Amino acid sequence: MSLTHSFGLLTHPDQEWEAIRNESETTTRLYLGHILLLALIPAAAGFYGTTQVGWQIGDGQITRLSSGSALQLSVLFYAAMLAGIFVLGKFIDFFAATYDAVERVPRGVALAAYTATPVFLIGVIAAYPNIWVNMLAGLVAISYAVYLLYEGLPILMKIPEDRGFMFASAVLTVGLVMFVALMAISVVIWSMGVGPVYVS
């Protein structure tokens, strides 16, 4: 059912959030049926795009990554996505009591995972690493993910829309802080020798 929910969120999000709430998937089932598979899309597409297609800045030559370097970075990116969904989900569960959520079943990981669905799906565009195309597609996916967060959180957590708006804003802030932290960790990892190796 997880993948069915993924596509349902793109066509009729309100009804799909209700169905997700009624199903009560465990975190293990959610990872096995949704997250592990969809998170592979941007990681695999990024590997292909950076090793086989390459990118070009202006009229410069096409730049690619070595297969070994791209594989390392893709695996790290994949692991970061899996961990990020889990950590953000636990933050959501932790915040739930603060916002008087009626639903006591932990649903944070489900909310984080399904909210990230548009970002996972649009990740296929990384197979063509053009900075402008990727930025535009990423902006559209992130905008829809934010919409899903604000739309789905009150439904999934059974709280009034006004409190849901504040709760979703807090979750969005945590997500942005996590993104900045991930960038800082990337710099540290690169300084340890696990960084991009370019080939012509």
Side-chain angles (χ1 to χ4, degrees):
M1 285 301 293
S2 293
L3 288 179
T4 306
H5 291 319
S6 302
F7 296 108
L9 286 170
L10 302 178
T11 55
H12 44 82
D14 284 356
Q15 298 95 310
E16 210 60 45
W17 280 122
E18 292 281 0
I20 291 167
R21 188 185 71 203
N22 293 333
E23 216 168 81
S24 296
E25 288 180 291
T26 64
T27 299
T28 302
R29 187 174 166 207
L30 190 59
Y31 265 83
L32 293 176
H34 179 82
I35 304 168
L36 291 175
L37 180 62
L38 289 187
L40 270 177
I41 295 173
F47 175 81
Y48 176 82
T50 55
T51 58
Q52 304 303 312
V53 180
W55 65 93
Q56 188 176 16
I57 298 174
D59 293 327
Q61 66 179 15
I62 294 176
T63 304
R64 297 182 181 88
L65 294 180
S66 68
S67 294
S69 169
L71 182 60
Q72 280 184 328
L73 294 174
S74 294
V75 168
L76 286 172
F77 180 62
Y78 182 66
M81 286 188 290
L82 299 182
I85 292 291
F86 184 78
V87 171
L88 186 59
K90 291 305 175 185
F91 268 112
I92 293 169
D93 289 335
F94 178 74
F95 286 145
T98 305
Y99 289 92
D100 299 325
V102 174
E103 186 59 70
R104 292 301 174 199
V105 176
R107 300 202 187 263
V109 175
L111 181 67
Y114 286 116
T115 297
T117 295
V119 179
F120 288 150
L121 294 176
I122 206 68
V124 73
I125 202 76
Y128 177 66
N130 177 290
I131 188 166
W132 299 113
V133 172
N134 285 208
M135 281 178 60
L136 182 60
L139 184 62
V140 170
I142 289 170
S143 298
Y144 195 73
V146 170
Y147 164 75
L148 286 178
L149 172 65
Y150 279 90
E151 191 75 9
L153 191 144
I155 296 171
L156 210 58
M157 297 294 182
K158 294 185 181 176
I159 58 177
E161 285 192 18
D162 57 336
R163 295 189 72 78
F165 181 84
M166 292 186 296
F167 192 173
S169 298
V171 171
L172 187 59
T173 302
V174 170
L176 291 172
V177 170
M178 286 176 60
F179 178 74
V180 172
L182 181 62
M183 299 297 284
I185 291 169
S186 299
V187 172
V188 172
I189 291 174
W190 286 18
S191 69
M192 294 167 57
V194 183
V197 177
Y198 301 100
V199 293
S200 300

